[in-house]
Amino acid sequence: MAQINGFLQELLDQVTAFLAAYPVIEAWYTTVVRFVFPILAVLILSGMIRSLWNVPHTPEVWAKLGLPGGELIPLTHWENIVGRAAASDVVLPYPSISRQHAALMREKDGSWAVYDLDSTGGTEVNGLPVDGVAALDEGDTVSFGGIPCAFIPVTAEERRYQRERRKRVSRPVSPWGSLLVLTIWQVLAGLQLIIAAAPEASVNIPLAFLGLTLVMWCYFLFMRAMRRVGFEMEIIAFFLSTLSLGITASSAPDALFKQFLAICLGLTLFVILGVFLRDLSRARKIRWLMAAGAIGLLGITLALGSSKYGARNWLSIAGMSFQPSELAKICYIFAGSATLDRLFRKRNLGLFIVLTGVCLGCLALMSDFGTAAIFFVTFLVIAYLRSGDFATLSLICGGAVFGGGILLTFKPYILKRFAVWGHVWEDASGAGYQQTRTMSAAASGGLTGVGAGEGWLHRIGAADTDLVFGMLCEEWGLLIAVLAVLSIVTLAVFAVRACAAGRSSFYIIAACAATSLLVFQTCLNVFGAVDLLPLTGVTFPFVSNGGSSMLSAWGLLAFLKATDTRQNASFAIRLPSRRELRAEAQEVQSHEED
């Protein structure tokens, strides 16, 4: 391996020596690609962003409910509320029906069950009262408050017709054009970074970009072979990850392999978590294990962690440093999400509030107040989606403000971090040193940047993590920096729009919480770097240099992927095998012959 690296390094040295002999080539190349990169970025992202903003969330019919008058009401979710309220999925306007009477829920294997939601009139299946939950089979009669309804699963012919119709209506944009342009971007970026680093250019630069290109194409080819579609989120993530490699190559080229490995591990976590979320009953069982994981990760960091930039949030194992709080974000959202039956059976948020309090307490003791703010905002989103109780949330916010005031009393040095907010230019050589340099560098980049690897901000501490927005603006230009922010916002818009057609409340809560976390964290990073908000020391998702941050970003993306309702797009739905499709076709044919 050492011989191969030596050979490649020697070859790279010859290339850089040739370019050094003709400096005009380097100058012209850097000048041209500065204007090419924004064009390529628009070509890569425009179709993906437009698709996610306008994706049609067509309803899926999983079963039907036959009313006494013969009307058939489709069940378009895995979890369906039956009640008198207008907001119910199945509205039964009868006096004996409670506003939220019962829930019809589908399991992973296609089986159904009915949950009575403490209704006044009661629920029966084939004349037998439902005590909590009862299984449903084809042709069963379900009575809600004395109103008999027939449970009718969809037929093989209906499933086939619906599948084909949804493929036509919600056909995602083709990824191949964006993939090709992104590959060109990666090649040009790698060459530009080699030129900028010459004559000390490391072979890690071309190897990292080549490796990312290969991983990206292997992923998409494998997923297409598995008949999956809808790769807008992944293309956005790969684009931002490419920017991360560019930032790392400019600021810490020795860490390129680690960052590339983090991207690969993040992609693996994305796939594993996406497939795991396919079985909601399994997801429900490990919620408290995830809660324990979040507390354990933060607790271990509090006990054994080391300080960096003022926060005790780093843990070192075998020479590798990482932030367990980044992985705790995934565990926290997993623990906070809930399926519909749990929402109605346990409306109170007591245990989740306790979990949040423990997490916030650990983060406060670690002086990681940026992450604490992110956890609290995520808590508010989850708590509102689970309860819809503004009064309770208002009391919680008031308590949080009171607790923050007490914390400042015992730790007044925290105020010093915020004292410079809005006044960085008054102390440009002291407390405002980082932000004033960040804004100066960002302004010098203009719309197209000075060129990847050609900036100077990377010499400032935390430039490639907390201040990475400044590096983006300086080296890649304001246009690309804004597109990076817009990419994160697009993921949030998609999650909100997907809620109406969401298959399960678990997916909806998790996706909204994950996107809220990503957007809020991006805002803290961007606005903190330019002094519009206090500098809190949080990273830019997918872009900042850091393995744990990259893992967290890809893991959170899995929650968004699970809520994608387009045909064959989400990992949460197991596609029928080709054998099952043939059997279904034979069943349809036999019915047609009959």
Side-chain angles (χ1 to χ4, degrees):
M1 190 66 181
Q3 292 179 343
I4 296 176
N5 282 339
F7 171 76
L8 293 176
Q9 185 64 55
E10 183 179 349
L11 184 62
L12 181 62
D13 291 340
Q14 293 177 1
V15 173
T16 55
F18 171 79
L19 293 174
Y22 300 93
V24 67
I25 297 178
E26 296 182 0
W28 272 103
Y29 181 83
T30 300
T31 301
V32 171
V33 295
R34 285 174 52 220
F35 295 93
V36 171
F37 280 134
I39 297 173
L40 294 180
V42 171
L43 293 176
I44 294 167
L45 296 176
S46 59
M48 304 300 106
I49 292 176
R50 186 171 60 251
S51 177
L52 290 180
W53 278 64
N54 300 318
V55 59
H57 295 284
T58 54
E60 301 169 276
V61 179
W62 299 98
K64 299 175 184 177
L65 204 61
L67 301 187
E71 180 184 0
L72 294 178
I73 297 181
L75 303 179
T76 57
H77 308 280
W78 289 358
E79 303 164 358
N80 302 267
I81 292 291
V82 179
R84 194 177 72 251
S88 300
D89 300 302
V90 179
V91 179
L92 299 179
Y94 299 96
S96 60
I97 303 293
S98 301
R99 291 182 57 81
Q100 294 172 330
H101 194 101
L104 295 170
M105 298 185 59
R106 178 185 182 274
E107 298 296 336
K108 172 194 172 184
D109 59 0
S111 62
W112 285 80
V114 58
Y115 291 78
D116 184 78
L117 303 179
D118 296 327
S119 62
T120 303
T123 304
E124 297 179 348
V125 175
N126 298 328
L128 299 177
V130 175
D131 184 14
V133 60
L136 285 178
D137 294 318
E138 181 177 358
D140 282 349
T141 299
V142 190
S143 297
F144 305 102
I147 307 300
C149 301
F151 177 74
I152 308 172
V154 293
T155 64
E157 183 177 1
E158 290 172 327
R159 286 196 302 270
R160 186 179 185 185
Y161 171 77
Q162 178 178 231
R163 189 163 51 243
E164 296 302 322
R165 182 182 64 84
R166 283 171 49 79
K167 284 182 181 179
R168 294 192 303 270
V169 174
S170 59
R171 183 185 298 274
V173 64
S174 173
W176 304 115
S178 292
L179 277 175
L180 180 60
V181 177
L182 181 53
T183 301
I184 296 173
W185 168 294
Q186 291 165 343
V187 172
L188 296 179
L191 182 56
Q192 167 59 31
L193 288 162
I194 290 173
I195 291 174
E200 291 83 17
S202 169
V203 72
N204 290 340
I205 296 175
L207 289 180
F209 279 89
L210 176 61
L212 181 60
T213 301
L214 292 176
V215 168
M216 181 179 71
W217 278 96
C218 288
Y219 170 80
F220 285 106
L221 291 174
F222 175 76
M223 287 299 168
R224 283 302 297 135
M226 300 298 292
R227 296 176 289 136
R228 294 292 178 181
V229 298
F231 301 112
E232 296 93 339
M233 298 182 204
E234 291 95 316
I235 289 178
I236 287 176
F238 275 116
F239 170 77
L240 296 177
S241 298
T242 302
L243 286 178
S244 179
L245 284 186
I247 293 293
T248 305
S250 178
S251 60
D254 292 339
L256 262 176
F257 176 75
K258 184 193 73 172
Q259 193 67 3
F260 167 70
L261 181 61
I263 295 172
C264 295
L265 292 176
L267 179 62
T268 303
L269 177 62
F270 168 74
V271 174
I272 292 175
L273 185 56
V275 174
F276 184 86
L277 290 171
R278 181 179 295 174
D279 188 346
L280 285 179
S281 61
R282 179 175 56 193
R284 288 195 296 266
K285 292 177 182 177
I286 69 164
R287 285 178 63 251
W288 294 114
L289 179 62
M290 287 293 183
I295 296 174
L297 287 169
L298 297 177
I300 291 174
T301 308
L302 182 61
L304 305 176
S306 57
S307 296
K308 187 176 182 180
Y309 301 122
R312 187 185 178 89
N313 57 359
W314 289 88
L315 197 64
S316 297
I317 299 178
M320 296 285 291
S321 297
F322 66 100
Q323 290 180 282
S325 59
E326 294 291 338
L327 299 180
K329 295 174 183 176
I330 300 174
C331 297
Y332 179 76
I333 290 178
F334 204 112
S337 303
T339 51
L340 194 64
D341 60 316
R342 185 173 182 83
L343 293 182
F344 282 95
R345 288 185 169 191
K346 297 186 178 181
R347 291 174 179 267
N348 69 83
L349 297 169
L351 293 177
F352 185 56
I353 291 174
V354 171
L355 170 64
T356 303
V358 173
C359 291
L360 293 180
C362 291
L363 291 168
L365 292 174
M366 288 188 283
S367 298
D368 191 356
F369 298 102
T371 304
I374 292 171
F375 266 72
F376 185 69
V377 168
T378 306
F379 162 76
L380 292 179
V381 172
I382 294 176
Y384 174 71
L385 291 174
R386 287 183 57 169
S387 68
D389 189 349
F390 275 111
T392 301
L393 296 183
S394 299
L395 289 174
I396 292 172
C397 290
V401 172
F402 179 73
I406 295 177
L407 183 65
L408 292 177
T409 302
F410 289 97
K411 294 189 175 183
Y413 69 89
I414 298 172
L415 287 174
K416 296 180 181 178
R417 298 187 179 185
F418 298 92
V420 73
W421 175 31
H423 307 282
V424 293
W425 292 104
E426 298 174 9
D427 191 12
S429 298
Y433 181 83
Q434 287 179 301
Q435 287 156 294
T436 53
R437 271 55 181 181
T438 299
M439 288 186 279
S440 297
S444 68
L447 292 177
T448 58
V450 299
E454 300 287 354
W456 53 265
L457 184 62
H458 63 266
R459 302 188 185 97
I460 304 298
D464 57 353
T465 53
D466 308 346
L467 308 173
V468 73
F469 183 74
M471 278 195 69
L472 277 179
C473 292
E474 180 194 23
E475 297 192 0
W476 297 90
L478 180 62
L479 293 176
I480 290 177
V482 170
L483 282 173
V485 175
L486 182 60
S487 297
I488 300 295
V489 174
T490 298
L491 297 178
V493 172
F494 173 82
V496 173
R497 293 188 67 247
C499 288
R503 297 183 176 105
S504 167
S505 60
F506 187 98
Y507 296 145
I508 294 172
I509 293 173
C512 289
T515 50
S516 299
L517 189 155
L518 290 172
V519 170
F520 184 66
Q521 182 170 323
T522 301
C523 290
L524 287 180
N525 179 275
V526 172
F527 295 144
V530 296
D531 198 34
L532 293 179
L533 286 176
L535 186 61
T536 52
V538 299
T539 57
F540 193 129
F542 292 104
V543 178
S544 290
N545 177 21
S548 48
S549 175
M550 184 65 71
L551 277 172
S552 173
W554 277 99
L556 293 172
L557 190 66
F559 292 122
L560 276 74
K561 188 70 174 178
T563 199
D564 194 344
T565 60
R566 293 174 296 178
Q567 188 67 41
N568 296 6
S570 174
F571 298 152
I573 297 292
R574 186 188 71 85
L575 298 183
S577 65
R578 289 180 171 82
R579 178 182 298 178
E580 291 171 333
L581 290 175
R582 287 194 297 269
E584 183 181 273
Q586 292 174 357
E587 182 180 348
V588 171
Q589 184 178 1
S590 63
H591 286 170
E592 291 175 349
E593 292 175 353
D594 293 341

